[in-house]
Amino acid sequence: DIQMTQSPASLSASLEEIVTITCQASQDIGNWLSWYQQKPGKSPQLLIYGATSLADGVPSRFSGSRSGTQYSLKISRLQVEDIGIYYCLQAYSAPPWTFGGGTKLELK
Amino acid sequence: QVNLLQSGAALVKPGASVKLSCKASGYTFTDYYIHWVKQSHGKSLEWIGYINPNSGYTNYNEKFKSKATLTVDKSTNTAYMELSRLTSEDSATYYCTRDSGGDFDYWGQGVMVTVSS
């Protein structure tokens, strides 16, 4: 199975700061990578699909990129409502679909 | 608008089974696969399996093959997941989610299952 190594596990940042979260795939997954945000007590929500495409209704301060087997989620100017846990998900070698371990984003 | 409405929280005894439901609305139920995902408290997400509501075809994570059974009722646009021989390791929140081509675009609100005597 493909492993998705997500980093950092936790992150503390200030409002308006640029935040970057990464996922490293254990092998090539092409653009079969999506990102999700989970706010406390809520279900995950799709942010980015196809590694770089913004899901409907997601603010443009979120963006996704790819460099080889490393994928990044960037928040250009952190807002209060962005606090939560972020997960990546690979669907290239699926089944099984595999999630990253998550990144907990907090306000400094 | 698309909505996946899951059944309420469940408290079940060790060794018992539980059947969770996920009622879809706002789209053609048979056009999209439904997946189930497990989230243990404070942990990451684990993919359990998926079902094709049109054909009933299922595919499971090896880890959950003897634990979960996925079914659908097309007449009520409802997907089900039955978990059997429950232990404390099965205590978790379970989500159903819609597959829009490899990614999961809509999620149910989640259902917490607690296994306790």
Side-chain angles (χ1 to χ4, degrees):
Chain A
D1 297 352
I2 292 179
Q3 307 302 314
M4 302 301 297
T5 303
Q6 191 170 339
S7 61
S10 64
L11 176 57
S12 181
S14 303
L15 289 176
E16 302 291 323
E17 189 173 333
I18 297 173
V19 170
T20 302
I21 298 166
T22 63
C23 266
Q24 179 69 50
S26 59
Q27 61 190 76
D28 177 41
I29 59 169
N31 286 331
W32 292 90
L33 189 285
S34 49
W35 290 96
Y36 300 82
Q37 175 194 63
Q38 186 175 33
K39 296 184 180 182
K42 301 294 186 182
S43 309
Q45 287 195 322
L46 178 65
L47 296 174
I48 301 287
Y49 64 95
T52 60
S53 298
L54 200 64
D56 289 345
V58 176
S60 58
R61 63 180 178 273
F62 290 91
S63 63
S65 64
R66 170 193 174 190
S67 176
T69 57
Q70 182 166 287
Y71 299 80
S72 298
L73 173 70
K74 178 182 170 183
I75 308 173
S76 61
R77 296 205 319 269
L78 186 67
Q79 303 297 303
V80 172
E81 59 266 32
D82 300 335
I83 298 313
I85 303 176
Y86 291 80
Y87 297 96
C88 63
L89 170 68
Q90 75 81 23
Y92 176 79
S93 178
W97 279 252
T98 48
F99 290 90
T103 295
K104 186 174 184 180
L105 176 57
E106 298 175 316
L107 267 183
K108 190 181 290 182
Chain B
Q1 67 283 19
V2 174
N3 192 39
L4 298 174
L5 182 63
Q6 297 187 239
S7 45
L11 172 61
V12 291
K13 294 188 186 307
S17 298
V18 67
K19 193 170 186 177
L20 312 179
S21 67
C22 171
K23 184 172 175 60
S25 60
Y27 72 98
T28 302
F29 181 57
T30 51
D31 282 353
Y32 296 83
Y33 296 176
I34 292 288
H35 295 247
W36 291 83
V37 173
K38 177 183 180 182
Q39 186 170 40
S40 301
H41 183 67
K43 299 287 180 64
S44 184
L45 303 161
E46 274 186 293
W47 177 75
I48 296 171
Y50 79 83
I51 185 165
N52 178 340
N54 190 44
S55 66
Y57 174 81
T58 55
N59 194 291
Y60 297 91
N61 185 329
E62 282 292 327
K63 179 179 177 181
F64 294 97
K65 268 190 173 176
S66 59
K67 175 62 64 179
T69 302
L70 306 184
T71 56
V72 295
D73 180 347
K74 288 192 283 187
S75 70
T76 61
N77 291 349
T78 303
Y80 297 92
M81 178 173 68
E82 184 169 19
L83 300 170
S84 60
R85 296 180 300 278
L86 291 165
T87 73
S88 58
E89 295 297 306
D90 300 314
S91 293
T93 297
Y94 293 88
Y95 296 98
C96 61
T97 178
R98 191 182 83 161
D99 185 336
S100 66
D103 47 78
F104 301 155
D105 62 349
Y106 288 91
W107 295 66
Q109 81 275 22
V111 56
M112 184 178 295
V113 174
T114 303
V115 182
S116 174
S117 54

